[in-house]
Amino acid sequence: MVLGVGALGAGIYVYRTLQRDRSRFNDRLSYLSSKNPTDEQNEHKKDIQGVDDSGKETVIADKQPEPQRIESSAPAELPSHVPFLLIGGGTASFAAARSIRARDPGARVLILSDESELPYMRPPLSKELWFSEDANVTETLRFKQWNGKERSIFFQPSSFYVPPEQLMSVENGGVAVLTGRKVVHMDVRENKVKLDNGTQISYEKCLIATGGTPRSLPAIDRAGEDVIKRTTLFRRISDFQSLNSISSSAGSITIIGGGFLGSELACALGRKARQSDLEVIQMFPESGNMGKVLPEYLSHWTTEKVRREGVNVMSDAVVKSVRYQNGKLHIYLKDGRQVETDHIVAAVGLEPNTELAKSAGLELDGDFGGYRVNAELQARNNVWVAGDAACFYDIKLGRRRVEHHDHAVVSGRLAGENMTGAAKPYWHQSMFWSDLGPEVGYEAIGIVDSALPTVGVFAKATEKDTPKRAAEESGTGIRSEIEVVEIPQLDAVKSPVPASEFAPAQQGENYGKGVVFYLRDNVVVGLVLWNVFNRMPIARKIIKDGEQHSDLNEVAKLFNIHEE
């Protein structure tokens, strides 16, 4: 009986393998019969454009002004099996694809995206694009970085990618993107997924990088269709295009949320309102802008900065209800205040997209949300998760979930390496940044939570201590590309100190530039570099060392904040 069962199983395996190989062979013959030999060489040249040995995120400016889109292929044209399948068309997937191709130049990678555009970076949607002088910026999606260099929001032009239907037949492999399709079911035991149009695709290795969906407010959700259709949940290119159009015609826009996105959009719209009659209002439940991240004194300073940009900032504002009446939105706060406005932008956080967890049998984290993965970003033997949707184990800081661009780059790159056999843990701390226009910005790393004890060391700023000047001098644009700087020795400042000796910064109202240290058990677990740029590797090393320091004023000197 045992021999019979074994023989039957072997027969089934051989039959399925032959059927799959026959299908690939027929696809290959069909492709070769319709293609000139020189075409394959050209495809290969396009495919390997911009791939370096390290797999690091690099920027190659797209010279084509039009938005980059690829029409979705018909189900019959898609490969039924791919070696590398990446679910999600954002930064994490793109970084993973580049990393896979760097380690395996012949790899065949298929990216599935529910958006209509090719992979693009999201930070400029709330930053540089709003400061563009191009009247057609919503169509070109090109912008000038703070360093003055112009580039596209897209990571690569369409010529970089292989058409999905040619992925398995083109010589030397490549990266293909199928747009406008969503994965609705995942079977991790059979190694296959099902798309919203019924198409099934099997894989050998899979990455889930589905990102997240902007949260709304209960008060908005229950207010009815008239309120919902006058509310923007800002996330995608279409949201930028829509809000830009609204800001040109509306009398007032109210931003609900005091975090990174809400504060950046408030400053951007406030700048734009200087040339129009637009009223910009920002409201949030905290006592100051970015109150969940910055210490209270710096949060209040930031609030005044936003007000100077022409924004009516309303702190300690908790929305009770919203109503549409007489052509206006009426926002009622719990303390009795009322606001009348034409449009609402809700910037109140992100909900990780984890719809595949049920069908795939993947574990979700009850504390942080997202798919629960190990230090190698692995959820199953051949399934990895990266970006906003990954709740990973940080070997220095513990379990975390991070929602920033650089984390998408770092985690996507690491997942791609591990999908090709690297077996590396997450140790390279990602950073994030926020700019309140070209004059004030900060970079941060690690756990930055205003509930933690903090120590701030500040100095007088100079004309060069701005995001714009820093970008001009370094020649870089996107902050995640800045990684090279000499790291001073920390040996002289390592002795432990009790928490009672730490004191808050006493710098009056002048927070020109400085460093804020976030402490847990007297150890630095996070840093904010306020108008201090290109020093992130130093901050990364401080967290990696995990030492207690007797005088954080001395540690702050490593960042050269007292240089004129």
Side-chain angles (χ1 to χ4, degrees):
M1 189 188 318
V2 172
L3 290 175
V5 172
L8 178 61
I12 294 174
Y13 173 79
V14 170
Y15 174 77
R16 293 181 63 184
T17 302
L18 289 175
Q19 287 293 100
R20 182 181 295 170
D21 289 346
R22 180 180 179 184
S23 176
R24 293 182 189 175
F25 180 72
N26 290 335
D27 290 345
R28 177 65 171 165
L29 286 179
S30 175
Y31 169 71
L32 290 176
S33 64
S34 62
K35 189 172 182 66
N36 293 326
T38 55
D39 291 340
E40 281 197 15
Q41 298 175 7
N42 292 334
E43 289 293 339
H44 176 49
K45 290 178 181 178
K46 292 188 292 183
D47 164 64
I48 63 174
Q49 177 186 1
V51 176
D52 57 26
D53 293 335
S54 66
K56 288 188 66 176
E57 179 78 10
T58 57
V59 174
I60 299 178
D62 171 22
K63 300 301 182 182
Q64 303 178 29
E66 69 276 2
Q68 301 296 311
R69 295 180 174 89
I70 290 181
E71 296 299 327
S72 298
S73 302
E77 298 177 329
L78 293 178
S80 59
H81 176 83
V82 293
F84 296 96
L85 182 68
L86 313 184
I87 305 175
T91 299
S93 278
F94 181 80
R98 294 288 296 270
S99 182
I100 291 170
R101 291 278 298 167
R103 287 176 54 87
D104 181 2
R108 304 176 191 277
V109 184
L110 176 62
I111 298 175
L112 299 176
S113 175
D114 62 355
E115 296 192 53
S116 60
E117 293 86 5
L118 293 173
Y120 61 91
M121 61 185 73
R122 298 190 192 277
L125 296 179
S126 60
K127 295 181 175 73
E128 294 94 337
L129 283 175
W130 289 97
F131 296 89
S132 174
E133 298 177 358
D134 183 4
N136 298 316
V137 65
T138 56
E139 297 300 322
T140 64
L141 297 175
R142 299 184 64 84
F143 62 94
K144 282 187 177 181
Q145 300 171 119
W146 298 146
N147 61 10
K149 296 180 180 179
E150 184 179 278
R151 68 150 300 159
S152 168
I153 195 174
F154 296 96
F155 289 115
Q156 291 285 7
S158 57
S159 59
F160 172 82
Y161 302 97
V162 176
E165 64 273 14
Q166 298 176 12
L167 178 62
M168 297 306 296
S169 56
V170 68
E171 196 72 26
N172 296 306
V175 179
V177 181
L178 178 66
T179 58
R181 287 295 172 215
K182 184 175 182 178
V183 176
V184 296
H185 188 274
M186 183 176 186
D187 188 335
V188 297
R189 288 189 292 184
E190 294 293 328
N191 292 348
K192 63 182 180 182
V193 300
K194 182 179 179 181
L195 307 187
D196 53 2
N197 64 350
T199 301
Q200 295 192 31
I201 303 175
S202 61
Y203 58 83
E204 295 170 22
K205 304 288 179 64
C206 180
L207 172 70
I208 299 176
T210 46
T213 300
R215 292 192 184 102
S216 183
L217 289 171
I220 293 176
D221 292 337
R222 61 174 177 260
E225 187 62 28
D226 286 333
V227 171
I228 293 175
K229 70 181 182 181
R230 290 171 175 81
T231 300
T232 295
L233 304 180
F234 198 90
R235 176 71 172 170
R236 301 185 173 191
I237 288 176
S238 57
D239 300 322
F240 163 71
Q241 294 169 328
S242 173
L243 185 58
N244 185 76
S245 175
I246 291 170
S247 66
S248 299
S249 57
S252 66
I253 295 177
T254 297
I255 301 165
I256 302 176
F260 305 105
L261 178 61
S263 299
E264 289 171 359
L265 287 175
C267 285
L269 289 171
R271 284 285 185 96
K272 186 173 183 179
R274 294 178 182 179
Q275 284 77 43
S276 66
D277 295 328
L278 175 66
E279 180 188 18
V280 180
I281 303 166
Q282 183 188 17
M283 59 175 61
F284 43 80
E286 297 81 27
S287 63
N289 286 74
M290 291 178 283
K292 293 182 179 180
V293 174
L294 300 178
E296 187 176 28
Y297 60 89
L298 199 53
S299 171
H300 290 172
W301 186 95
T302 303
T303 299
E304 293 306 313
K305 158 66 179 172
V306 176
R307 285 189 173 122
R308 289 195 296 271
E309 293 294 329
V311 180
N312 177 11
V313 180
M314 301 176 63
S315 59
D316 302 303
V318 179
V319 177
K320 180 181 179 181
S321 62
V322 183
R323 185 184 306 167
Y324 179 71
Q325 186 177 356
N326 299 326
K328 291 284 186 178
L329 294 172
H330 297 263
I331 304 174
Y332 299 90
L333 304 182
K334 286 190 175 181
D335 60 6
R337 287 179 290 176
Q338 298 182 22
V339 173
E340 187 178 285
T341 190
D342 294 316
H343 194 81
I344 291 174
V345 179
V348 292
L350 199 69
E351 193 68 32
N353 292 329
T354 57
E355 296 91 343
L356 294 176
K358 185 175 181 179
S359 62
L362 300 178
E363 182 182 4
L364 300 180
D365 189 89
D367 295 324
F368 300 99
Y371 296 97
R372 192 177 177 91
V373 297
N374 60 18
E376 289 75 30
L377 305 182
Q378 201 167 19
R380 284 289 188 276
N381 185 46
N382 55 354
V383 178
W384 288 258
V385 187
D388 299 336
C391 181
F392 61 100
Y393 182 75
D394 185 323
I395 60 176
K396 293 300 296 184
L397 301 177
R399 188 154 292 280
R400 306 172 64 198
R401 191 175 69 82
V402 181
E403 300 175 354
H404 296 293
H405 171 84
D406 191 56
H407 169 68
V409 174
V410 171
S411 62
R413 182 188 306 153
L414 176 62
E417 291 176 350
N418 289 341
M419 292 171 77
T420 51
K424 293 168 57 177
Y426 188 105
W427 66 268
H428 180 88
Q429 293 293 328
S430 63
M431 52 85 74
F432 60 92
W433 76 97
S434 183
D435 295 333
L436 303 179
E439 292 84 23
V440 175
Y442 66 87
E443 299 175 352
I445 189 171
I447 300 176
V448 286
D449 184 342
S450 59
L452 292 173
T454 61
V455 174
V457 182
F458 291 85
K460 184 179 179 180
T462 66
E463 292 183 357
K464 67 179 182 180
D465 297 316
T466 66
K468 186 175 187 298
R469 285 292 299 274
E472 290 172 348
E473 293 182 6
S474 67
T476 56
I478 300 302
R479 305 279 178 82
S480 59
E481 299 158 25
I482 305 172
E483 291 295 340
V484 180
V485 67
E486 182 179 357
I487 301 177
Q489 295 297 317
L490 304 180
D491 297 339
V493 288
K494 284 188 175 179
S495 56
V497 61
S500 59
E501 294 187 21
F502 288 129
Q506 300 291 333
Q507 302 290 334
E509 296 293 325
N510 184 20
Y511 303 112
K513 62 178 177 180
V515 182
V516 180
F517 300 93
Y518 292 74
L519 308 172
R520 187 171 64 188
D521 299 329
N522 298 338
V523 174
V524 176
V525 295
L527 295 95
V528 166
L529 309 185
W530 185 263
N531 270 344
V532 176
F533 307 101
N534 304 340
R535 291 291 182 270
M536 193 49 64
I538 301 173
R540 185 173 287 116
K541 178 169 173 53
I542 292 173
I543 293 178
K544 181 181 178 181
D545 288 346
E547 302 284 348
Q548 295 181 349
H549 300 288
S550 59
D551 188 351
L552 288 173
N553 285 282
E554 291 297 315
V555 180
K557 291 179 180 178
L558 297 174
F559 297 91
N560 299 325
I561 64 172
H562 298 291
E563 286 186 352
E564 293 296 332

